[in-house]
Amino acid sequence: MTPPVSAPVIHDVNTLPSGDNVNPYAFSVDVQGQWFLQKGKMIAYYGQLSFDGVGHGRFDRLLAGSFHSPMHAADWVVAEGSGKMLLADRSFDINSYDLDDGNLTIRSGNLLAYEPGLALKQSIIPGFLTLIGTGKFVAASNGPVIFAEPPIRVDPEALVGWADCPSPCHHYDHQYLRGVLGGVRRLTGLGGASGEEHQYEFVGAGTVLLQSSEQVMAARPTGATPGQQGVPRQRGGVGGLLDM
Amino acid sequence: MADFTLQGSKVLAVRMGGDSVKAKNGAMVAYDGQMAFKRLSGGGEGIRGMVTRRLAGESMTMMEVKGTGTCYFADRASEINLVQLGGEKLWVEASNLLCTDGGLRTGTAFTGLRGASQGNGLFTTTLEGAGTAAIMSDGPAVVLRVAPGMPLTVDPGAYVAHTGNLTQQFQSGVNFRTVIGEGGGEAFQIRFEGDGLVYVQPSERNTIGGDV
């Protein structure tokens, strides 16, 4: 006997959670004041909200405190007013994280929205953004997020972000690449690569966030960092560190 | 009446005892029992419906499935949502419609600028009558209630369907900032007022207004 058709859950402005998931793919934010969000991630809202680019002159003071990523300015908007707002991104898994006087670095394409209590800064690693302060932010991942502790080596495409620990370094499987088989493959291209000759290595104390897929979320090319000595250059593309 | 159940969230099982359902052409993945699949020209709306659909550009290729047994439907692993209709009307994009009770009447309706901003054309499909409809969405749909004094604003790319007595108002926030690339990112919105339910998906189609 098959079960009867179950009635879907119907939400309204009062039953929608505030600051929690509606389902694994949609997140409800209770906006009272201002929130930063990436363009196009709002799917619906109740109440009175307005959306303005961060370049809007009114936001000068807000930006001075909470937004320090001029290269990403074109992707971000400020939602202002009061109401409940639903966020979603290509039906990827959505999670919220609370930072308490902490710091977290995340791939720019994965970050959906954050509270102005946090300050968004560009990481020195191209394609990544660092959030510093106290507050809530919402991020997407392809598949649920896995939390891991350093020391750990991770696949570049599976990396979502990291908190508290020092920024990663590159790790190459030197022995394999120098060995006879690996060397021949590398020089001739015969036999192909396993695709796992290169990882990011994390050391120190902290948490590393991984997604259960190697699909990198599209981030818009953000132009180059200021041409200055000692500043790593970004050569465009979505991979961030991959391009270096 | 045909009995609709979901197997997981991406496969629809319909048990039939000699009655019929309308389904998206080619969406059958398996069946047991005796089934006949008949392509419905113009969505089974007769000559008048065919002409209307052709004129409206809201093409819908449906088939009539009739027989005894269980028929399974799925389409590109989309999430399937069941909607029970008790005489009211459901507005849905033809591309999001998977299967309906044979007794539901289908038709076309003018949507105005909302459809244009979605890139779906100016018309949408309506379903009317008593029975079950299965609609598809990219990710499980969230059902949001609209009541008097509780209007809802929806991104056109996330809109899937709606029922009830709703008025739609197309809002455009396009201004000089949009032109210089400083737009709010949510320039096109649909505002629903009245009394009814709106189905939104946790994803956005590529819309004409999507990047503004």
Side-chain angles (χ1 to χ4, degrees):
Chain A
M1 187 63 205
T2 44
V5 177
S6 60
V9 188
I10 296 165
H11 295 280
D12 64 27
V13 66
N14 300 313
T15 62
L16 273 179
S18 39
D20 205 355
N21 279 69
V22 180
N23 62 35
Y25 315 101
F27 190 89
S28 167
V29 178
D30 195 354
V31 182
Q32 303 293 341
Q34 291 160 324
W35 264 75
F36 285 94
L37 72 149
Q38 273 219 51
K39 270 186 187 173
K41 310 300 186 200
M42 183 279 293
I43 56 167
Y45 67 85
Y46 287 107
Q48 289 298 325
L49 292 178
S50 64
F51 298 87
D52 287 297
V54 293
H56 215 295
R58 265 183 317 124
F59 298 134
D60 271 354
R61 282 194 56 193
L62 178 69
L63 295 192
S66 308
F67 196 87
H68 307 272
S69 315
M71 279 163 37
H72 294 265
D75 292 344
W76 286 85
V77 295
V78 178
E80 198 175 25
S82 74
K84 279 195 178 157
M85 169 171 80
L86 283 182
L87 303 173
D89 187 12
R90 291 161 282 170
S91 66
F92 287 131
D93 284 67
I94 311 278
N95 279 301
S96 72
Y97 305 83
D98 289 296
L99 278 184
D100 185 15
D101 201 10
N103 72 83
L104 185 137
T105 304
I106 188 165
R107 197 182 286 280
S108 63
N110 289 65
L111 184 62
L112 258 60
Y114 67 96
E115 251 177 348
L118 293 165
L120 184 75
K121 311 202 176 188
Q122 219 161 287
S123 168
I124 67 162
I125 299 177
F128 283 79
L129 294 166
T130 301
L131 288 159
I132 301 177
T134 303
K136 194 188 270 295
F137 69 94
V138 183
S141 61
N142 194 357
V145 166
I146 303 147
F147 296 89
E149 300 233 321
I152 188 174
R153 291 178 188 150
V154 305
D155 186 281
E157 281 112 358
L159 178 65
V160 172
W162 62 91
D164 299 331
C165 49
S167 295
C169 46
H170 294 270
H171 172 85
Y172 288 94
D173 192 343
H174 198 63
Q175 225 170 356
Y176 174 72
L177 290 175
R178 284 292 299 275
V180 175
L181 190 61
V184 168
R185 282 185 168 173
R186 188 166 55 98
L187 289 173
T188 62
L190 292 174
S194 74
E196 308 287 8
E197 291 87 356
H198 167 224
Q199 295 97 25
Y200 291 164
E201 180 158 352
F202 286 89
V203 289
T207 311
V208 181
L209 281 68
L210 304 169
Q211 61 181 8
S212 46
S213 137
E214 302 198 351
Q215 187 180 340
V216 177
M217 306 214 161
R220 291 176 207 216
T222 46
T225 35
Q228 207 176 322
Q229 250 188 345
V231 175
R233 266 196 305 277
Q234 188 179 22
R235 294 194 202 126
V238 297
L241 278 177
L242 296 172
D243 310 320
M244 292 182 70
Chain B
M1 202 182 271
D3 175 31
F4 286 58
T5 46
L6 289 181
Q7 308 265 307
S9 60
K10 295 174 179 174
V11 177
L12 170 73
V14 181
R15 276 194 306 159
M16 284 175 280
D19 42 2
S20 72
V21 295
K22 285 183 219 170
K24 184 175 177 175
N25 220 14
M28 186 274 288
V29 289
Y31 72 91
D32 56 41
Q34 290 295 320
M35 297 277 168
F37 300 87
K38 187 178 120 198
R39 163 80 185 265
L40 290 173
S41 304
E45 292 160 14
I47 298 290
R48 188 159 168 272
M50 262 169 90
V51 172
T52 315
R53 279 200 182 271
R54 181 59 57 86
L55 289 176
E58 173 82 0
S59 69
M60 181 170 74
T61 324
M62 302 289 277
M63 59 185 178
E64 186 192 48
V65 185
K66 194 171 185 178
T68 315
T70 308
C71 192
Y72 298 89
F73 299 99
D75 189 31
R76 287 169 297 155
S78 299
E79 293 281 333
I80 301 168
N81 309 273
L82 294 181
V83 184
Q84 294 283 11
L85 292 179
E88 69 264 43
K89 207 170 188 180
L90 172 80
W91 283 259
V92 61
E93 287 305 321
S95 55
N96 286 339
L97 188 60
L98 179 67
C99 186
T100 75
D101 255 323
L104 291 177
R105 291 184 303 283
T106 55
T108 42
F110 182 68
T111 58
L113 279 169
R114 197 242 315 141
S117 70
Q118 274 173 296
N120 285 336
L122 295 169
F123 292 84
T124 194
T125 295
T126 56
L127 288 174
E128 209 173 355
T132 314
I135 57 177
M136 295 183 288
S137 56
D138 183 11
V142 179
V143 192
L144 297 169
R145 180 181 298 285
V146 179
M150 195 169 70
L152 174 74
T153 313
V154 174
D155 186 289
Y159 166 85
V160 175
H162 76 269
T163 62
N165 225 336
L166 294 178
T167 55
Q168 296 177 39
Q169 201 185 333
F170 185 75
Q171 291 184 335
S172 159
V174 178
N175 53 23
F176 78 97
R177 292 186 193 282
T178 316
V179 181
I180 59 170
E182 279 284 338
E186 309 288 0
F188 296 101
Q189 297 170 349
I190 331 163
R191 190 175 173 86
F192 287 96
E193 282 175 39
D195 201 357
L197 299 175
V198 180
Y199 293 72
V200 293
Q201 62 183 7
S203 166
E204 299 190 344
R205 294 178 200 93
N206 283 328
T207 60
I208 296 172
D211 231 26
V212 188

